[in-house]
Protein backbone atom coordinates (compact mmCIF):
# COMPACT_ATOMS: atom_id res chain seq x y z
CA UNK A 1 0.00 0.00 0.00
CA UNK A 2 1.64 3.24 -1.17
CA UNK A 3 -0.45 6.12 0.17
CA UNK A 4 0.55 9.75 -0.27
CA UNK A 5 -0.77 13.13 0.83
CA UNK A 6 -1.52 14.48 4.30
CA UNK A 7 -3.31 11.75 6.19
CA UNK A 8 -3.65 9.83 9.42
CA UNK A 9 -2.83 6.23 8.53
CA UNK A 10 -2.85 3.57 11.24
CA UNK A 11 0.57 1.90 10.93
CA UNK A 12 -0.70 -1.23 12.67
CA UNK A 13 -3.24 -1.91 9.90
CA UNK A 14 -2.43 0.44 7.01
CA UNK A 15 -5.94 1.90 7.22
CA UNK A 16 -6.26 5.58 6.28
CA UNK A 17 -8.33 7.14 9.06
CA UNK A 18 -8.48 10.75 7.88
CA UNK A 19 -7.23 12.86 4.98
CA UNK A 20 -6.28 16.54 4.84
CA UNK A 21 -6.19 18.79 1.80
CA UNK A 22 -2.95 20.29 0.54
CA UNK A 23 -2.98 24.09 0.50
CA UNK A 24 -3.84 25.82 -2.74
CA UNK A 25 -1.26 28.23 -4.09
CA UNK A 26 -3.59 31.13 -3.30
CA UNK A 27 -4.06 30.01 0.30
CA UNK A 28 -0.30 29.54 0.70
CA UNK A 29 0.36 33.06 -0.55
CA UNK A 30 -2.11 34.43 1.99
CA UNK A 31 -0.36 32.50 4.78
CA UNK A 32 3.07 33.79 3.80
CA UNK A 33 1.94 37.39 3.50
CA UNK A 34 0.16 37.32 6.86
CA UNK A 35 3.18 35.63 8.44
CA UNK A 36 5.55 38.28 7.10
CA UNK A 37 3.43 41.07 8.61
CA UNK A 38 3.11 39.24 11.92
CA UNK A 39 6.84 38.58 12.17
CA UNK A 40 7.72 42.25 11.75
CA UNK A 41 5.49 43.12 14.67
CA UNK A 42 6.74 40.16 16.70
CA UNK A 43 10.35 41.26 16.23
CA UNK A 44 9.49 44.66 17.75
CA UNK A 45 7.86 43.03 20.79
CA UNK A 46 10.20 43.11 23.83
CA UNK A 47 12.04 39.82 24.17
CA UNK A 48 10.81 39.42 27.74
CA UNK A 49 7.22 39.51 26.45
CA UNK A 50 8.02 36.97 23.74
CA UNK A 51 9.62 34.73 26.34
CA UNK A 52 6.54 34.95 28.57
CA UNK A 53 4.34 33.64 25.76
CA UNK A 54 6.80 30.84 24.99
CA UNK A 55 6.72 29.93 28.68
CA UNK A 56 2.98 29.49 28.30
CA UNK A 57 3.60 27.19 25.36
CA UNK A 58 5.78 25.08 27.65
CA UNK A 59 3.01 24.86 30.23
CA UNK A 60 0.45 23.75 27.64
CA UNK A 61 2.68 20.94 26.36
CA UNK A 62 2.84 19.64 29.92
CA UNK A 63 -0.88 20.07 30.52
CA UNK A 64 -1.84 18.28 27.29
CA UNK A 65 0.76 15.50 27.29
CA UNK A 66 -1.78 12.66 27.46
CA UNK A 67 -3.73 14.03 24.51
CA UNK A 68 -0.55 14.68 22.58
CA UNK A 69 0.76 11.16 23.24
CA UNK A 70 -2.47 9.65 21.93
CA UNK A 71 -2.29 11.69 18.73
CA UNK A 72 1.17 10.50 17.71
CA UNK A 73 0.41 6.98 18.85
CA UNK A 74 -2.39 6.89 16.30
CA UNK A 75 -0.35 8.69 13.62
CA UNK A 76 3.00 6.93 13.69
CA UNK A 77 2.70 4.19 16.31
CA UNK A 78 4.79 5.62 19.16
CA UNK A 79 4.32 3.82 22.49
CA UNK A 80 2.19 5.91 24.84
CA UNK A 81 4.91 6.14 27.49
CA UNK A 82 7.37 7.46 24.92
CA UNK A 83 4.80 9.89 23.52
CA UNK A 84 4.21 11.25 27.00
CA UNK A 85 7.96 11.63 27.52
CA UNK A 86 8.26 13.45 24.20
CA UNK A 87 5.60 15.98 25.16
CA UNK A 88 7.32 16.50 28.51
CA UNK A 89 10.70 17.03 26.85
CA UNK A 90 9.14 19.50 24.42
CA UNK A 91 7.77 21.40 27.41
CA UNK A 92 11.25 21.45 28.91
CA UNK A 93 12.74 22.85 25.71
CA UNK A 94 10.22 25.68 25.40
CA UNK A 95 10.73 26.46 29.08
CA UNK A 96 14.50 26.46 28.72
CA UNK A 97 14.45 29.10 25.98
CA UNK A 98 11.79 31.13 27.75
CA UNK A 99 14.02 31.26 30.82
CA UNK A 100 17.40 31.68 29.12
CA UNK A 101 16.64 33.23 25.73
CA UNK A 102 16.85 36.87 26.81
CA UNK A 103 20.34 36.36 28.23
CA UNK A 104 21.45 34.32 25.18
CA UNK A 105 20.36 37.21 22.94
CA UNK A 106 21.93 39.95 25.06
CA UNK A 107 24.30 42.42 23.43
CA UNK A 108 27.95 41.32 23.44
CA UNK A 109 30.43 44.19 24.00
CA UNK A 110 33.48 44.30 21.73
CA UNK A 111 36.70 45.97 22.82
CA UNK A 112 37.74 48.59 20.32
CA UNK A 113 40.41 51.30 20.19
CA UNK A 114 37.86 54.07 19.87
CA UNK A 115 34.12 54.43 20.19
CA UNK A 116 31.82 51.70 21.50
CA UNK A 117 30.85 48.49 19.76
CA UNK A 118 28.48 45.66 20.52
CA UNK A 119 27.35 42.55 18.66
CA UNK A 120 23.56 42.48 18.68
CA UNK A 121 21.62 39.28 18.15
CA UNK A 122 18.67 40.28 16.01
CA UNK A 123 15.98 38.17 14.32
CA UNK A 124 16.38 37.51 10.61
CA UNK A 125 12.69 37.13 9.69
CA UNK A 126 10.59 34.10 8.82
CA UNK A 127 12.18 30.66 8.96
CA UNK A 128 10.79 27.54 7.30
CA UNK A 129 10.87 24.31 9.29
CA UNK A 130 10.53 20.96 7.50
CA UNK A 131 9.93 18.39 10.19
CA UNK A 132 9.91 14.56 10.29
CA UNK A 133 7.44 12.04 11.67
CA UNK A 134 9.61 10.14 14.15
CA UNK A 135 9.49 12.77 16.94
CA UNK A 136 6.58 14.99 15.89
CA UNK A 137 6.71 17.35 18.91
CA UNK A 138 10.34 17.28 20.01
CA UNK A 139 11.74 18.09 16.58
CA UNK A 140 9.43 21.11 16.30
CA UNK A 141 10.21 22.26 19.82
CA UNK A 142 13.95 22.36 19.39
CA UNK A 143 13.57 24.34 16.15
CA UNK A 144 10.72 26.66 17.09
CA UNK A 145 11.49 27.55 20.72
CA UNK A 146 14.74 29.52 20.25
CA UNK A 147 13.51 31.20 17.08
CA UNK A 148 10.26 32.37 18.63
CA UNK A 149 12.04 33.87 21.64
CA UNK A 150 14.58 35.54 19.34
CA UNK A 151 11.80 37.19 17.32
CA UNK A 152 11.77 35.10 14.16
CA UNK A 153 8.51 33.85 12.67
CA UNK A 154 7.89 30.16 12.01
CA UNK A 155 6.38 28.55 8.93
CA UNK A 156 6.07 24.85 9.74
CA UNK A 157 5.71 22.09 7.17
CA UNK A 158 5.28 18.78 9.01
CA UNK A 159 5.51 15.22 7.69
CA UNK A 160 2.55 14.07 5.63
CA UNK A 161 1.62 11.40 8.18
CA UNK A 162 1.57 13.86 11.09
CA UNK A 163 -1.25 16.32 10.33
CA UNK A 164 -3.04 15.98 13.66
CA UNK A 165 0.10 16.54 15.71
CA UNK A 166 0.98 19.51 13.51
CA UNK A 167 -2.45 21.01 14.17
CA UNK A 168 -2.19 20.23 17.89
CA UNK A 169 1.05 22.23 18.09
CA UNK A 170 -0.53 25.11 16.18
CA UNK A 171 -3.45 25.08 18.62
CA UNK A 172 -1.06 25.25 21.56
CA UNK A 173 0.64 28.27 20.01
CA UNK A 174 -2.71 30.00 19.53
CA UNK A 175 -3.95 29.13 23.02
CA UNK A 176 -0.69 30.41 24.53
CA UNK A 177 -1.45 33.80 23.00
CA UNK A 178 1.05 34.02 20.16
CA UNK A 179 -0.17 36.61 17.66
CA UNK A 180 -1.78 35.11 14.60
CA UNK A 181 0.77 34.49 11.85
CA UNK A 182 3.83 34.27 14.10
CA UNK A 183 3.59 30.47 13.94
CA UNK A 184 1.96 29.09 10.79
CA UNK A 185 1.32 25.44 9.95
CA UNK A 186 1.09 24.57 6.27
CA UNK A 187 0.11 21.38 4.46
CA UNK A 188 2.28 22.07 1.44
CA UNK A 189 3.32 19.94 -1.53
CA UNK A 190 6.98 19.26 -2.35
CA UNK A 191 6.81 21.75 -5.21
CA UNK A 192 5.34 24.39 -2.92
CA UNK A 193 8.12 23.77 -0.40
CA UNK A 194 10.70 24.48 -3.09
CA UNK A 195 8.91 27.70 -3.94
CA UNK A 196 8.76 28.71 -0.27
CA UNK A 197 12.51 28.22 0.14
CA UNK A 198 13.09 30.55 -2.82
CA UNK A 199 10.54 33.12 -1.59
CA UNK A 200 12.10 36.47 -0.67
CA UNK A 201 10.10 36.55 2.58
CA UNK A 202 11.82 33.41 3.90
CA UNK A 203 15.20 33.97 5.58
CA UNK A 204 16.27 30.37 6.12
CA UNK A 205 15.24 26.75 6.35
CA UNK A 206 15.74 24.00 8.92
CA UNK A 207 15.22 20.38 7.96
CA UNK A 208 15.32 17.21 10.00
CA UNK A 209 15.09 14.22 7.73
CA UNK A 210 16.94 11.87 5.44
CA UNK A 211 20.32 12.37 3.84
CA UNK A 212 18.62 12.56 0.44
CA UNK A 213 16.11 15.20 1.56
CA UNK A 214 18.90 17.20 3.16
CA UNK A 215 20.90 17.30 -0.06
CA UNK A 216 17.85 18.53 -1.98
CA UNK A 217 16.98 21.24 0.55
CA UNK A 218 20.61 22.35 0.85
CA UNK A 219 20.82 22.74 -2.92
CA UNK A 220 17.61 24.76 -3.06
CA UNK A 221 18.63 26.93 -0.12
CA UNK A 222 22.05 27.52 -1.64
CA UNK A 223 20.56 28.54 -4.96
CA UNK A 224 18.41 31.10 -3.11
CA UNK A 225 21.31 32.24 -0.88
CA UNK A 226 19.45 31.11 2.24
CA UNK A 227 20.95 29.67 5.39
CA UNK A 228 20.07 26.05 6.13
CA UNK A 229 20.34 23.88 9.23
CA UNK A 230 20.27 20.16 8.50
CA UNK A 231 19.88 17.27 10.93
CA UNK A 232 20.06 14.14 8.81
CA UNK A 233 20.72 10.44 9.17
CA UNK A 234 23.08 8.61 11.45
CA UNK A 235 24.77 5.28 12.02
CA UNK A 236 25.93 5.94 15.53
CA UNK A 237 28.61 3.69 17.04
CA UNK A 238 27.98 2.27 20.52
CA UNK A 239 31.33 0.96 21.71
CA UNK A 240 31.48 -1.46 24.65
CA UNK A 241 35.12 -1.92 25.66
CA UNK A 242 34.36 -3.96 28.78
CA UNK A 243 31.55 -4.70 31.20
CA UNK A 244 31.44 -6.08 34.72
CA UNK A 245 27.85 -7.23 34.07
CA UNK A 246 27.55 -8.19 30.42
CA UNK A 247 23.84 -9.02 30.60
CA UNK A 248 23.07 -5.59 32.08
CA UNK A 249 25.22 -3.89 29.44
CA UNK A 250 23.35 -5.74 26.71
CA UNK A 251 20.00 -4.87 28.26
CA UNK A 252 20.88 -1.15 28.25
CA UNK A 253 22.07 -1.36 24.64
CA UNK A 254 18.91 -3.19 23.58
CA UNK A 255 16.55 -0.81 25.35
CA UNK A 256 18.36 2.12 23.71
CA UNK A 257 18.12 0.54 20.28
CA UNK A 258 14.43 -0.28 20.61
CA UNK A 259 13.38 3.22 21.70
CA UNK A 260 10.82 4.55 19.23
CA UNK A 261 11.01 1.12 17.55
CA UNK A 262 14.54 1.95 16.47
CA UNK A 263 13.43 5.01 14.51
CA UNK A 264 15.76 7.68 15.89
CA UNK A 265 18.53 9.45 13.99
CA UNK A 266 20.97 9.12 16.89
CA UNK A 267 20.05 5.59 17.90
CA UNK A 268 22.88 3.11 18.56
CA UNK A 269 22.77 1.54 15.12
CA UNK A 270 26.18 -0.17 15.34
CA UNK A 271 27.11 -2.02 18.52
CA UNK A 272 30.90 -2.47 18.60
CA UNK A 273 31.85 -4.97 21.28
CA UNK A 274 35.20 -6.25 22.53
CA UNK A 275 35.81 -9.88 21.68
CA UNK A 276 36.18 -11.19 25.24
CA UNK A 277 32.55 -10.30 26.01
CA UNK A 278 31.14 -10.41 22.46
CA UNK A 279 29.57 -13.89 22.50
CA UNK A 280 27.85 -13.35 25.86
CA UNK A 281 26.70 -9.90 24.76
CA UNK A 282 25.15 -11.17 21.50
CA UNK A 283 23.47 -14.08 23.30
CA UNK A 284 21.90 -11.62 25.76
CA UNK A 285 20.67 -9.43 22.89
CA UNK A 286 19.09 -12.43 21.16
CA UNK A 287 17.27 -13.29 24.38
CA UNK A 288 16.00 -9.72 24.67
CA UNK A 289 14.74 -9.77 21.07
CA UNK A 290 13.01 -13.11 21.39
CA UNK A 291 11.16 -11.99 24.53
CA UNK A 292 9.37 -9.20 22.66
CA UNK A 293 5.90 -9.44 21.15
CA UNK A 294 3.89 -7.13 18.85
CA UNK A 295 1.33 -4.73 20.26
CA UNK A 296 -0.38 -1.38 19.94
CA UNK A 297 0.75 2.16 20.71
CA UNK A 298 -1.35 2.09 23.88
CA UNK A 299 0.63 -0.85 25.34
CA UNK A 300 2.96 0.42 28.07
CA UNK A 301 4.87 -2.85 28.52
CA UNK A 302 8.47 -2.44 27.35
CA UNK A 303 8.40 -6.05 26.08
CA UNK A 304 5.85 -5.02 23.46
CA UNK A 305 7.09 -3.63 20.18
CA UNK A 306 5.12 -1.25 18.00
CA UNK A 307 4.85 -1.04 14.21
CA UNK A 308 7.17 1.10 12.14
CA UNK A 309 5.78 4.36 10.79
CA UNK A 310 4.46 2.79 7.58
CA UNK A 311 4.26 -0.44 5.64
CA UNK A 312 6.69 1.01 3.10
CA UNK A 313 9.27 1.60 5.85
CA UNK A 314 8.82 -1.96 7.08
CA UNK A 315 9.27 -3.38 3.58
CA UNK A 316 12.45 -1.32 3.08
CA UNK A 317 13.90 -2.61 6.34
CA UNK A 318 13.09 -6.22 5.43
CA UNK A 319 14.79 -5.74 2.05
CA UNK A 320 17.90 -4.40 3.81
CA UNK A 321 18.02 -7.49 6.03
CA UNK A 322 17.83 -9.69 2.96
CA UNK A 323 20.74 -7.79 1.41
CA UNK A 324 22.70 -8.16 4.66
CA UNK A 325 22.31 -11.93 4.40
CA UNK A 326 23.22 -11.88 0.71
CA UNK A 327 26.40 -9.97 1.58
CA UNK A 328 27.40 -12.60 4.14
CA UNK A 329 25.87 -11.22 7.32
CA UNK A 330 23.81 -13.27 9.77
CA UNK A 331 20.35 -12.51 11.11
CA UNK A 332 20.54 -14.25 14.49
CA UNK A 333 16.87 -13.73 15.25
CA UNK A 334 13.87 -11.67 14.15
CA UNK A 335 13.56 -9.43 11.13
CA UNK A 336 10.32 -10.98 9.93
CA UNK A 337 7.83 -8.77 8.09
CA UNK A 338 4.26 -9.28 9.28
CA UNK A 339 1.62 -10.35 6.79
CA UNK A 340 -1.06 -7.90 5.68
CA UNK A 341 -0.80 -4.12 5.48
CA UNK A 342 0.59 -3.46 8.96
CA UNK A 343 4.11 -2.13 9.51
CA UNK A 344 5.46 -4.69 11.98
CA UNK A 345 8.99 -6.09 11.72
CA UNK A 346 10.04 -8.39 14.54
CA UNK A 347 13.08 -7.05 16.46
CA UNK A 348 16.29 -8.46 15.04
CA UNK A 349 19.89 -9.06 16.01
CA UNK A 350 22.36 -9.04 13.12
CA UNK A 351 26.05 -9.96 13.13
CA UNK A 352 28.92 -10.39 10.68
CA UNK A 353 27.90 -7.61 8.26
CA UNK A 354 30.99 -7.33 6.02
CA UNK A 355 32.70 -4.02 6.65
CA UNK A 356 33.00 -2.22 3.33
CA UNK A 357 29.92 -3.81 1.81
CA UNK A 358 27.25 -1.51 0.40
CA UNK A 359 24.69 -2.41 3.03
CA UNK A 360 27.20 -1.83 5.85
CA UNK A 361 27.14 1.90 5.07
CA UNK A 362 23.34 2.15 5.09
CA UNK A 363 21.29 3.43 8.00
CA UNK A 364 19.04 0.75 9.52
CA UNK A 365 15.99 2.73 10.63
CA UNK A 366 14.07 0.23 12.70
CA UNK A 367 14.30 -2.48 15.39
CA UNK A 368 17.61 -4.01 14.32
CA UNK A 369 20.71 -4.30 16.50
CA UNK A 370 23.81 -4.77 14.33
CA UNK A 371 26.78 -6.08 16.35
CA UNK A 372 30.47 -6.06 15.44
CA UNK A 373 33.38 -7.84 17.13
CA UNK A 374 36.70 -6.02 17.74
CA UNK A 375 39.87 -6.96 19.59
CA UNK A 376 41.45 -3.61 20.47
CA UNK A 377 40.59 0.01 21.22
CA UNK A 378 42.20 1.09 17.94
CA UNK A 379 40.14 -1.40 15.97
CA UNK A 380 36.99 -0.23 17.75
CA UNK A 381 37.78 3.39 16.94
CA UNK A 382 38.56 2.65 13.31
CA UNK A 383 35.27 0.82 12.87
CA UNK A 384 33.33 3.52 14.73
CA UNK A 385 34.60 6.20 12.35
CA UNK A 386 34.17 4.08 9.20
CA UNK A 387 30.90 5.70 8.13
CA UNK A 388 29.75 8.63 6.05
CA UNK A 389 27.65 9.76 9.01
CA UNK A 390 28.79 11.66 12.07
CA UNK A 391 25.87 12.37 14.37
CA UNK A 392 26.61 10.83 17.76
CA UNK A 393 28.55 8.04 19.38
CA UNK A 394 29.26 6.60 22.80
CA UNK A 395 31.96 4.57 24.52
CA UNK A 396 31.48 2.41 27.59
CA UNK A 397 34.18 1.18 29.94
CA UNK A 398 34.62 0.64 33.68
CA UNK A 399 37.85 2.59 33.16
CA UNK A 400 36.48 6.08 32.52
CA UNK A 401 39.81 7.45 31.31
CA UNK A 402 40.04 4.67 28.73
CA UNK A 403 36.53 5.47 27.51
CA UNK A 404 37.35 9.18 27.41
CA UNK A 405 40.43 8.56 25.26
CA UNK A 406 38.46 6.59 22.69
CA UNK A 407 35.40 8.88 22.73
CA UNK A 408 37.58 11.96 22.23
CA UNK A 409 38.59 10.60 18.81
CA UNK A 410 35.09 9.89 17.51
CA UNK A 411 34.31 11.85 14.31
CA UNK A 412 30.87 12.93 15.50
CA UNK A 413 28.94 15.98 16.63
CA UNK A 414 28.05 14.43 20.00
CA UNK A 415 30.50 12.17 21.83
CA UNK A 416 29.32 10.43 25.01
CA UNK A 417 31.02 8.44 27.73
CA UNK A 418 29.27 5.73 29.76
CA UNK A 419 25.78 6.80 28.72
CA UNK A 420 23.78 6.08 25.56
CA UNK A 421 23.48 9.83 24.93
CA UNK A 422 23.65 13.11 26.76
CA UNK A 423 20.11 14.48 26.74
CA UNK A 424 18.65 17.77 27.90
CA UNK A 425 17.39 21.09 26.61
CA UNK A 426 20.74 22.61 27.55
CA UNK A 427 22.81 20.10 25.52
CA UNK A 428 23.45 20.95 21.83
CA UNK A 429 22.32 18.46 19.20
CA UNK A 430 23.80 18.06 15.72
CA UNK A 431 26.31 16.25 13.58
CA UNK A 432 29.11 16.40 11.04
CA UNK A 433 29.83 14.73 7.70
CA UNK A 434 26.64 13.48 6.00
CA UNK A 435 24.66 13.87 9.22
CA UNK A 436 24.28 17.54 8.39
CA UNK A 437 25.35 20.84 9.88
CA UNK A 438 24.16 23.40 12.37
CA UNK A 439 23.16 22.88 15.97
CA UNK A 440 19.92 22.87 17.92
CA UNK A 441 19.33 23.05 21.69
CA UNK A 442 21.56 24.60 24.31
CA UNK A 443 22.97 28.13 24.07
CA UNK A 444 24.16 27.55 20.49
CA UNK A 445 20.64 26.59 19.40
CA UNK A 446 19.77 30.27 19.45
CA UNK A 447 22.76 31.19 17.31
CA UNK A 448 21.69 29.78 13.94
CA UNK A 449 19.00 32.01 12.41
CA UNK A 450 20.25 35.27 13.84
CA UNK A 451 21.68 38.53 12.55
CA UNK A 452 24.81 39.07 14.60
CA UNK A 453 24.77 42.74 13.83
CA UNK A 454 27.66 45.04 14.69
CA UNK A 455 26.43 48.27 16.28
CA UNK A 456 29.27 50.78 16.43
CA UNK A 457 29.25 54.35 17.67
CA UNK A 458 32.28 56.56 17.02
CA UNK A 459 33.44 58.58 19.95
Amino acid sequence: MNETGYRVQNPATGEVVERFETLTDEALEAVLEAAARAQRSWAETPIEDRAALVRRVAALFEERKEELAAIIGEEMGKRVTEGREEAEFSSEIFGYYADNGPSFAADQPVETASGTAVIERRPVGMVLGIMPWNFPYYQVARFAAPNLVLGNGIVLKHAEICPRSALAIAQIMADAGLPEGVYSTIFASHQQVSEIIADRRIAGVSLTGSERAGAQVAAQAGAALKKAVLELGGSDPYVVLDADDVAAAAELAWGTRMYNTGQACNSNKRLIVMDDIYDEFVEALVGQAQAMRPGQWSDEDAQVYQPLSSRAAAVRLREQLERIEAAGGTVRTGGELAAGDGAYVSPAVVTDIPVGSEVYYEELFGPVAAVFRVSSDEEALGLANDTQYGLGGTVFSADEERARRVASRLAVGMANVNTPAGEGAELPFGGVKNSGYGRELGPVGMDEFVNKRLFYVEG
Side-chain angles (χ1 to χ4, degrees):
M1 183 176 294
N2 185 22
E3 294 282 350
T4 59
Y6 289 88
R7 67 204 183 276
V8 176
Q9 186 170 9
N10 184 349
T13 65
E15 176 191 5
V16 176
V17 178
E18 186 178 8
R19 292 189 182 276
F20 296 77
E21 292 296 323
T22 302
L23 275 178
T24 65
D25 290 343
E26 293 76 16
L28 177 59
E29 171 58 28
V31 168
L32 293 177
E33 190 56 36
R37 289 195 302 269
Q39 188 277 325
R40 289 191 290 270
S41 177
W42 181 244
E44 296 303 317
T45 301
I47 192 169
E48 292 78 13
D49 294 347
R50 297 196 298 260
L53 290 174
V54 171
R55 191 172 293 110
R56 179 60 181 155
V57 171
L60 290 175
F61 265 95
E62 175 64 29
E63 289 175 16
R64 299 178 185 178
K65 61 185 178 183
E66 298 298 335
E67 171 192 344
L68 295 173
I71 290 172
I72 58 175
E74 293 167 354
E75 284 182 328
M76 47 74 64
K78 190 185 295 280
R79 179 182 293 141
V80 62
T81 52
E82 296 177 1
R84 191 181 300 128
E85 290 169 358
E86 184 178 341
E88 291 170 344
F89 194 16
S90 300
S91 174
E92 178 187 338
I93 292 168
F94 280 105
Y96 173 80
Y97 284 105
D99 292 342
N100 296 285
S103 61
F104 292 158
D107 291 349
Q108 177 184 338
V110 177
E111 290 188 14
T112 181
S114 62
T116 59
V118 297
I119 297 172
E120 301 174 321
R121 283 173 167 78
R122 305 282 297 169
V124 294
M126 291 198 302
V127 187
L128 172 65
I130 305 173
M131 297 292 109
W133 49 262
N134 57 336
F135 290 91
Y137 304 126
Y138 159 69
Q139 306 279 11
V140 174
R142 71 187 198 190
F143 160 66
N147 283 298
L148 288 172
V149 174
L150 184 64
N152 290 326
I154 301 295
V155 177
L156 200 290
K157 186 272 180 199
H158 221 312
E160 290 185 346
I161 65 170
C162 292
R164 286 183 183 168
S165 50
L167 293 174
I169 298 170
Q171 190 63 55
I172 284 175
M173 298 294 177
D175 292 347
L178 264 70
E180 186 175 356
V182 169
Y183 181 98
S184 303
T185 295
I186 55 170
F187 293 163
S189 68
H190 293 299
Q191 178 59 39
Q192 287 174 325
V193 168
S194 298
E195 293 168 358
I196 295 167
I197 293 172
D199 193 287
R200 60 179 175 77
R201 292 164 294 193
I202 294 293
V205 56
S206 177
L207 174 134
T208 298
S210 68
E211 185 180 359
R212 178 182 176 184
Q216 293 173 337
V217 166
Q220 293 168 5
L225 298 178
K226 306 288 177 68
K227 171 148 187 197
V229 168
L230 305 176
E231 195 272 280
L232 310 177
S235 189
D236 288 13
Y238 187 101
V239 182
V240 184
L241 300 176
D242 55 63
D244 294 330
D245 187 336
V246 176
E251 183 177 0
L252 176 61
W254 180 257
T256 303
R257 187 67 187 101
M258 290 304 107
Y259 196 85
N260 203 29
T261 321
Q263 300 168 115
C265 297
N266 64 328
S267 184
N268 51 340
K269 299 192 177 81
R270 292 178 298 141
L271 309 182
I272 299 169
V273 183
M274 204 60 66
D275 57 0
D276 60 339
I277 62 171
Y278 175 88
D279 290 334
E280 185 180 352
F281 192 93
V282 170
E283 182 181 356
L285 288 177
V286 169
Q288 292 279 332
Q290 292 177 345
M292 300 193 76
R293 63 186 188 280
Q296 303 296 318
W297 68 267
S298 54
D299 291 317
E300 298 198 17
D301 188 347
Q303 296 289 76
V304 170
Y305 66 90
Q306 281 70 35
L308 298 184
S309 63
S310 68
R311 179 71 180 185
V315 169
R316 281 195 300 271
L317 184 62
R318 178 59 204 163
E319 290 173 347
Q320 285 179 300
L321 291 170
E322 291 171 357
R323 288 194 292 112
I324 284 171
E325 290 183 303
T330 302
V331 178
R332 298 290 186 103
T333 191
E336 295 301 321
L337 177 66
D341 293 326
Y344 291 94
V345 175
S346 57
V349 177
V350 176
T351 59
D352 308 311
I353 301 175
V355 177
S357 63
E358 182 178 320
V359 72
Y360 165 81
Y361 292 104
E362 296 179 8
E363 180 179 23
L364 298 173
F365 213 63
V368 178
V371 198
F372 299 84
R373 184 197 299 264
V374 292
S375 58
S376 69
D377 291 9
E378 283 298 318
E379 185 182 3
L381 184 64
L383 187 59
N385 287 336
D386 186 13
T387 173
Q388 74 271 32
Y389 297 111
L391 193 52
T394 190
V395 181
F396 284 85
S397 175
D399 181 346
E400 183 179 303
E401 284 306 310
R402 179 188 182 192
R404 281 174 173 266
R405 285 195 300 272
V406 175
S408 70
R409 296 169 64 192
L410 292 175
V412 297
M414 300 172 289
N416 305 279
V417 172
N418 288 338
T419 182
E423 186 175 276
E426 74 282 5
L427 299 178
F429 190 103
V432 295
K433 299 195 284 188
N434 286 21
S435 290
Y437 44 79
R439 291 295 182 270
E440 294 178 315
L441 299 180
V444 297
M446 204 165 176
D447 250 4
E448 293 291 350
F449 297 103
V450 59
N451 175 12
K452 297 175 185 176
R453 184 174 72 178
L454 170 66
F455 198 87
Y456 177 79
V457 179
E458 181 65 51

